[in-house]
Amino acid sequence: MPAPPVPLFSVLIAARNEAANLPQLLQDLTAQTLLASRFEVLIADDHSTDATAALVAAAVQETSFALRLVSLSTSQTGKKAALFAALQAARGPWLVCTDADCRLGPGWLAAYAALIRRASQANFISGPVLLTGPSTFLHWLVGLEFAGLIGVGGACIARQHPTMCNGANLAYRREAFATVGGYADNIHVASGDDEFLLHKIHAAFPGSVHFLADAAAIVRTAAPDTLRAFLRQRVRWASKWRHYQSAASRRLALLVLGANVALAVGVGAGLRWPALWPWVAAAWALKLGADAWLLNPVLGFFGRRQWLWGLLPLQLLYAPYALAVGLAGWRGGYQWKGRAVR
């Protein structure tokens, strides 16, 4: 009996207590327009306490594509450990990562394949991610801020100064991962399975990082349903900032924080010295205009131009938010998936 063909893509998914979300993700993977023989899916169960493992084990017998359950040993915990365990069992030359609570369009993997055909020297591809949720004021602001992060990340990649990406939608060449040492030098940092790898691959292979600006490749994930959950998520993301080795990422973080704090300080100065108000107003208008210029095409790409109305309130709230999250992330320590993480 001939051996099965080696797939082009190995889709890696770290899952912890995701039994409620995995059926929808598996349906989306079944609906992919890319031939089932061209990809496999490996779901690494990170010591779930629900029916995650049983659900995946049952689905192995039913899916049209190759699906495998990877179980972590007692000494392996966390997303990086789960992704690496899945990678070790994977067969494809390209590893594609998404999260268990995401939704994928049918052209998701086909869009990656098309970019790889066009850019044969690519080693890392960052994909677009859209937050979904109810039409509430909080969701508008959260979705707008997140779309800004995706837009800035894509723009920096286009200028070949990669700064950020999102682990819910990315791909990298297996050989490049091995060349840069994978997660070896940042395994002690719970977060950063995405951006540390982005920075290292760019440093080792300049010009080989791409952004997948294709609407078919958009991955959708639910926004945090409460303000507390949102802040916890952002503190988790911010916890990796102090470990950045990328000068471009550090400069961008300082620029964004500095600009927003300066605007807030300007308002205080205007209250103290009214003669400064024209200058303060001009600074605010310049910042809002620049943000709108960046966000308009990004929100158009995502079909969410109505979120642009949240730009002014988001700007008003951003300085205290960025400071609080940055300080909490610097301190370290947060809750994730029922675990206390340092």
Side-chain angles (χ1 to χ4, degrees):
M1 183 177 180
V6 175
L8 172 64
F9 297 118
S10 293
V11 180
L12 311 182
I13 301 164
R16 175 172 167 79
N17 296 336
E18 295 286 1
N21 294 312
L22 279 171
Q24 291 77 31
L25 178 63
L26 291 173
Q27 288 175 8
D28 292 347
L29 288 164
T30 300
Q32 292 299 298
T33 58
L34 190 72
L35 291 175
S37 62
R38 302 302 289 147
F39 70 95
E40 63 178 353
V41 178
L42 298 97
I43 299 178
D45 177 33
D46 184 10
H47 308 284
S48 296
T49 57
D50 66 359
T52 291
L55 186 153
V56 176
V60 167
Q61 309 300 321
E62 301 173 358
T63 56
S64 57
F65 54 86
L67 173 66
R68 280 183 282 169
L69 172 67
V70 178
S71 298
L72 274 62
S73 67
T74 55
S75 62
Q76 296 173 306
T77 59
K79 187 176 181 181
K80 287 178 184 172
L83 290 174
F84 187 65
L87 183 150
Q88 288 182 302
R91 298 183 301 138
W94 274 92
L95 297 314
V96 188
C97 299
T98 190
D99 293 334
D101 58 355
C102 289
R103 300 301 306 269
L104 319 169
W108 180 58
L109 286 175
Y112 273 105
L115 178 55
I116 291 169
R117 285 195 296 271
R118 295 194 304 269
S120 59
Q121 301 305 310
N123 282 302
F124 188 104
I125 303 171
S126 171
V129 182
L130 173 67
L131 289 187
T132 60
S135 296
T136 62
F137 181 68
L138 174 63
H139 176 251
W140 272 38
L141 295 187
V142 170
L144 178 63
E145 188 248 4
F146 188 79
L149 296 178
I150 298 297
V152 169
C156 290
I157 289 173
R159 294 182 60 84
Q160 286 305 309
H161 294 289
T163 55
M164 65 181 87
C165 61
N166 193 282
N169 194 11
L170 60 82
Y172 50 87
R173 198 183 294 271
R174 176 194 290 272
E175 291 180 1
F177 181 90
T179 299
V180 302
Y183 307 130
D185 59 345
N186 56 75
I187 196 68
H188 60 290
V189 184
S191 187
D193 54 281
D194 42 17
E195 291 178 359
F196 292 140
L197 189 59
L198 166 73
H199 300 159
K200 293 197 299 181
I201 289 180
H202 170 67
F205 304 97
S208 69
V209 174
H210 296 262
F211 184 77
L212 183 50
D214 186 334
I218 295 174
V219 163
R220 292 164 173 81
T221 187
D225 53 5
T226 66
L227 180 60
R228 184 178 183 183
F230 166 74
L231 291 174
R232 279 187 172 181
Q233 181 191 64
R234 293 307 195 265
V235 169
R236 174 164 58 88
W237 292 358
S239 67
K240 64 194 172 191
W241 291 350
R242 59 197 172 110
H243 302 282
Y244 279 164
Q245 300 298 316
S246 165
S249 298
R250 289 181 171 179
R251 287 195 299 266
L252 178 63
L254 289 174
L255 175 63
V256 171
L257 181 60
N260 285 282
V261 171
L263 289 177
V265 170
V267 171
L271 293 172
R272 177 68 176 83
W273 298 288
L276 294 177
W277 274 118
W279 297 99
V280 174
W284 274 80
L286 182 63
K287 177 65 164 60
L288 288 170
D291 286 348
W293 176 78
L294 169 70
L295 285 166
N296 187 55
V298 175
L299 295 177
F301 172 77
F302 284 125
R304 295 293 189 277
R305 277 206 171 94
Q306 68 273 22
W307 286 355
L308 203 57
W309 291 104
L311 187 56
L312 179 58
L314 179 63
Q315 184 65 78
L316 292 170
L317 295 169
Y318 205 84
Y321 153 75
L323 277 173
V325 168
L327 290 173
W330 187 270
R331 183 190 64 187
Y334 54 86
Q335 290 286 327
W336 184 76
K337 297 285 186 178
R339 290 175 176 152
V341 180
R342 297 297 300 177

